[in-house]
Amino acid sequence: MAYTVDKDGSEVFEARLQSTKGSIIDLETLADVMNIEWAGNSALVYTQPDAQGRPFRVMKHRLGEQQEKDVCLLQEDNEDCFLALAMTDGAYVTINSSSKTASEVHLLSCANPDQPLKLVQPRTANLEYFVSHSQGQLYILTNANGAANYQLMTAPLHTPCSAHWRPLVPEQLGTAVEDLEVYASHAVLYERQQGRPAVSVLNLLAQASKAAESQQHAAGVFQDSPAALTSKQQQTAHVAVEECNAVPTSQCQQHELEQKKQHQQQQQAGATTAERPQAAQQPQLTTLSFPSWALSIQPGANPDHHTRTVRLHVASPVHPQHVYDYHLDTGQLQLLGAEQLHGHDPEQYVCQVQYVKAADGTQVPLTVLHKKGMPLNGSHPALLTVYGAYGISLETGFEPERLVLLDRGWVIALAHVRGGGELGRRWHAAGRSLHKMNSLTDLEACLDHLLQQGYSRKGLVGVQAASAGGLLVGALLNRRPHDLLAAILRVPFVDFLTSMTQPELPLTVHEYGEWGDPADPAVLQQMRELCPYQNIKTAEYPPVLATCSATDPRVPVWGPAKWVAKSRQHQIGPSPILLLSSSDTGHYAHEADLLENSALEYAFLIDAFQKKHHINAK
């Protein structure tokens, strides 16, 4: 058994190896580890950080040997790329080298980890792909050929480069694929369909059978089946396969040029997503049917590649987690049980996904929840939460601590602004780099919606965000301090300009793909306009609670600290601007501290409301 331990929140771990035969015995400890996977029974592979905390090297460790003897399998010198490991079906470990806009994958054999790595497809600008393996086939989730919301393609293991990728599930209009799990007989796609979470299942065995029938039919028509080939033709075909596998780079590059040219021609002709070349046999996807309230669908622990059931966790902001098993053989979706919360009745709450018109006319999803029967007369306090970065969707699962506010008459709203992933990769692209201002104007539109629809009124809306979402809340504080009740910023990215103009800082170069490169004057100007620290002004700010950690590798501790100090200098009102610092929590709070942290934050919000209400009552 191998596991990792982060002692101080720095995200640099120790890997501990233990024997589980009989009593548990500590065997070895490996230092400076970030990501681990077993490669067979006697080798462990792991990533290591460089001086800036970037996972840049993959090492192979043999059990029983000193760490100093570990072998470097791959080193990534591109500063905008991170290395990460993942297990496929037990046959291969994937080594993923990814920037924000492109990726490259190598395969490491678990049966023989001493073999050279196998490159799937050389890095190509703006080509992202992720690889799974089953029974000699690669299953590739990719944006190839302009499929911004991803399509599923397949290729033989022995000829993996993109020249041999074939569509299996083309990009579907209104659907974005977020994740993929491949099992021996089925592929499970975790999707967003019109912004709502969904799960679709593809029977790989049935698909393979259809493909074989199609090939046999073609062989009968054109008389070129393998049996009809002469020995010389078979030898030529075998050599061609070996040459493609031995020198994939040139052939793949030529293929990419052809694909790019074809895609440009389609764009010039006004081609849409549905007009791209698709698989000859359309896949028979089964989309699972969940309750209409389901706004969060997460995979459970499904480690068995040959499983016949897939575990799923389903919830909403007012519905506790329900556990389902989907039976791959029968297509039955079986409810196993649901979390029980004493005294909680989901029917006593309203949970709606509404659409808010942004400044440019874009419809922005806003999840709103409150107690049923509550009059919309503008008298209620509200909490508006936002993230909106990296293509990550703001989670809409069940958090029981929210009931503390809901049962006190609060409205809770989750703003799914551009920059997140709720409506797919194009939604993300519309809120990144030079388009980042869209995220802020979307947030303002959501705030205005709460006011105009009577959910709350000016001065009674609290805002909450973490990390990259803190940039938006910090910017909103500068623009509209009088409209807000309070602000909670967890490890916020508020000294945006300083961080992005210092490439020697950890993560900065890697982040250019998300925020833009300040060497571009237009990007630099937008950073100046958005940066919360740079735009602090003398004003009466509402109460603010910010957190930071000395060991945070993502948001340096000095960012929130100097932002709080400058905000205090420009505060002309009586409200406090507080900083809660930690020496060892890092970027993410420990799971054991989550409820305590929420209790502190909600107490802060309730106190701000009570003081506001007391002042207004005078």
Side-chain angles (χ1 to χ4, degrees):
M1 177 175 68
Y3 61 94
T4 57
V5 176
D6 182 359
K7 293 182 176 181
D8 59 6
S10 66
E11 300 180 38
V12 177
F13 301 82
E14 278 186 356
R16 298 180 181 177
L17 283 65
Q18 295 179 331
S19 171
T20 57
K21 293 181 179 179
S23 58
I24 295 178
I25 302 173
D26 291 333
L27 299 177
E28 303 173 49
T29 299
L30 306 178
D32 296 328
V33 171
M34 301 192 79
N35 183 202
I36 63 172
E37 287 290 351
W38 287 108
N41 295 323
S42 60
L44 186 81
V45 289
Y46 59 93
T47 56
Q48 281 193 316
D50 62 11
Q52 293 185 324
R54 177 180 67 94
F56 82 116
R57 184 165 60 192
V58 176
M59 305 295 291
K60 180 181 66 180
H61 175 76
R62 286 288 183 182
L63 297 186
E65 294 186 355
Q66 296 295 317
Q67 187 176 4
E68 292 76 15
K69 295 183 179 180
D70 291 354
V71 177
C72 178
L73 298 179
L74 182 68
Q75 180 167 314
E76 180 56 81
D77 294 323
N78 290 336
E79 292 185 9
D80 61 341
C81 294
F82 279 29
L83 294 179
L85 307 172
M87 179 61 70
T88 59
D89 57 349
Y92 291 92
V93 173
T94 62
I95 302 176
N96 306 280
S97 176
S98 301
S99 69
K100 296 296 184 184
T101 58
S103 52
E104 181 175 273
V105 179
H106 293 78
L107 300 177
L108 173 66
S109 170
C110 293
N112 189 355
D114 293 329
Q115 285 184 347
L117 300 179
K118 188 181 190 70
L119 175 63
V120 176
Q121 163 64 25
R123 184 179 291 108
T124 304
N126 299 315
L127 174 66
E128 299 173 277
Y129 70 98
F130 309 90
V131 177
S132 297
H133 170 267
S134 181
Q135 303 182 63
Q137 285 291 118
L138 299 182
Y139 295 92
I140 303 157
L141 196 61
T142 177
N143 67 347
N145 306 329
N149 284 329
Y150 292 154
Q151 62 176 318
L152 179 60
M153 306 186 81
T154 185
L157 175 63
H158 60 275
T159 54
C161 73
S162 64
H164 298 274
W165 294 2
R166 296 293 177 263
L168 189 58
V169 180
E171 183 184 17
Q172 309 294 316
L173 187 64
T175 297
V177 183
E178 293 189 318
D179 202 0
L180 168 71
E181 289 184 340
V182 175
Y183 303 101
S185 60
H186 291 74
V188 180
L189 289 85
Y190 296 90
E191 304 168 322
R192 291 267 172 178
Q193 295 183 3
Q194 305 298 334
R196 295 180 66 96
V199 177
S200 294
V201 179
L202 177 67
N203 188 324
L204 297 178
L205 300 182
Q207 195 68 22
S209 177
K210 288 181 180 180
E213 291 176 2
S214 177
Q215 290 175 355
Q216 290 174 359
H217 175 71
V221 172
F222 297 107
Q223 299 296 314
D224 60 357
S225 65
L229 294 176
T230 66
S231 59
K232 183 176 181 180
Q233 289 173 325
Q234 292 177 4
Q235 183 180 6
T236 302
H238 179 67
V239 170
V241 167
E242 287 186 340
E243 287 178 348
C244 177
N245 192 35
V247 287
T249 304
S250 60
Q251 189 178 50
C252 287
Q253 287 174 340
Q254 179 63 32
H255 177 70
E256 291 297 328
L257 289 173
E258 293 172 356
Q259 291 290 322
K260 184 176 181 180
K261 182 178 179 181
Q262 182 184 40
H263 181 55
Q264 289 174 341
Q265 291 172 343
Q266 290 174 343
Q267 287 183 320
Q268 292 170 357
T272 64
T273 298
E275 293 169 332
R276 284 197 303 275
Q278 297 185 356
Q281 294 289 332
Q282 287 296 313
Q284 292 186 348
L285 283 174
T286 300
T287 299
L288 308 192
S289 180
F290 292 100
S292 60
W293 50 258
L295 292 179
S296 174
I297 304 174
Q298 301 292 338
N302 298 298
D304 183 6
H305 181 67
H306 297 278
T307 187
R308 311 312 309 155
T309 59
V310 176
R311 178 67 48 86
L312 300 164
H313 297 156
V314 180
S316 86
V318 298
H319 291 82
Q321 181 174 276
H322 288 54
V323 181
Y324 288 84
D325 268 357
Y326 178 72
H327 296 264
L328 297 173
D329 293 329
T330 64
Q332 178 192 7
L333 185 63
Q334 178 186 9
L335 175 63
L336 301 181
E339 289 183 350
Q340 300 297 318
L341 191 63
H342 179 70
H344 175 66
D345 179 6
E347 297 303 317
Q348 295 302 311
Y349 303 88
V350 173
C351 180
Q352 298 176 332
V353 179
Q354 303 176 6
Y355 286 86
V356 178
K357 189 175 181 179
D360 62 358
T362 300
Q363 296 294 314
V364 180
L366 178 70
T367 302
V368 180
L369 45 151
H370 58 81
K371 212 55 184 299
K372 186 175 289 186
M374 188 183 78
L376 302 183
N377 56 13
S379 65
H380 302 279
L383 177 60
L384 178 61
T385 301
V386 68
Y387 185 70
Y390 301 109
I392 297 173
S393 300
L394 185 61
E395 182 53 47
T396 49
F398 183 70
E399 296 181 11
E401 60 269 26
R402 287 177 175 153
L403 299 177
V404 171
L405 297 182
L406 292 174
D407 290 343
R408 282 174 165 81
W410 284 63
V411 175
I412 294 179
L414 311 175
H416 307 289
V417 302
R418 282 173 283 187
E422 289 84 353
L423 293 175
R425 302 291 289 179
R426 293 179 180 88
W427 191 251
H428 172 215
R432 70 192 289 187
S433 191
L434 278 173
H435 304 293
K436 191 61 196 173
M437 189 63 73
N438 287 336
S439 302
L440 179 56
T441 55
D442 287 356
L443 178 61
E444 287 193 279
C446 291
L447 171 61
D448 289 334
H449 179 81
L450 295 177
L451 304 179
Q452 294 164 3
Q453 299 301 312
Y455 288 106
S456 190
R457 69 170 184 264
K458 288 186 177 183
L460 289 189
V461 180
V463 284
Q464 179 187 55
S467 192
L471 184 151
L472 302 180
V473 167
L476 186 65
L477 276 167
N478 290 332
R479 289 162 74 112
R480 301 176 62 171
H482 298 293
D483 291 345
L484 303 177
L485 169 68
I488 295 173
L489 301 94
R490 304 171 185 164
V491 291
F493 189 37
V494 283
D495 194 8
F496 177 42
L497 184 63
T498 301
S499 297
M500 295 309 299
T501 53
Q502 297 189 37
E504 68 276 9
L505 292 177
L507 305 181
T508 295
V509 175
H510 181 69
E511 294 294 313
Y512 287 165
E514 178 69 21
W515 306 103
D517 186 344
D520 181 340
V523 171
L524 182 61
Q525 179 60 30
Q526 181 181 250
M527 288 180 175
R528 288 183 175 132
E529 294 174 0
L530 270 174
C531 180
Y533 179 79
Q534 298 294 329
N535 291 283
I536 292 173
K537 59 186 179 183
T538 299
E540 184 175 344
Y541 288 102
V544 173
L545 175 62
T547 68
C548 63
S549 174
T551 56
D552 189 338
R554 298 171 185 262
V555 176
V557 64
W558 46 260
K562 64 188 288 192
W563 176 78
V564 165
K566 187 175 180 180
S567 297
R568 287 172 178 170
Q569 291 173 354
H570 289 76
Q571 170 69 294
I572 60 173
S575 298
I577 298 177
L578 306 177
L579 179 67
L580 181 61
S581 62
S582 166
S583 61
D584 59 2
T585 55
H587 194 67
Y588 302 101
H590 192 280
E591 186 175 346
D593 299 328
L594 291 179
L595 288 180
E596 183 177 340
N597 293 344
S598 293
L600 173 65
E601 294 169 358
Y602 289 174
F604 180 78
L605 288 171
I606 292 170
D607 179 71
F609 172 65
Q610 289 176 342
K611 289 179 178 177
K612 187 89 171 184
H613 184 72
H614 177 71
I615 293 172
N616 291 339
K618 288 185 177 181

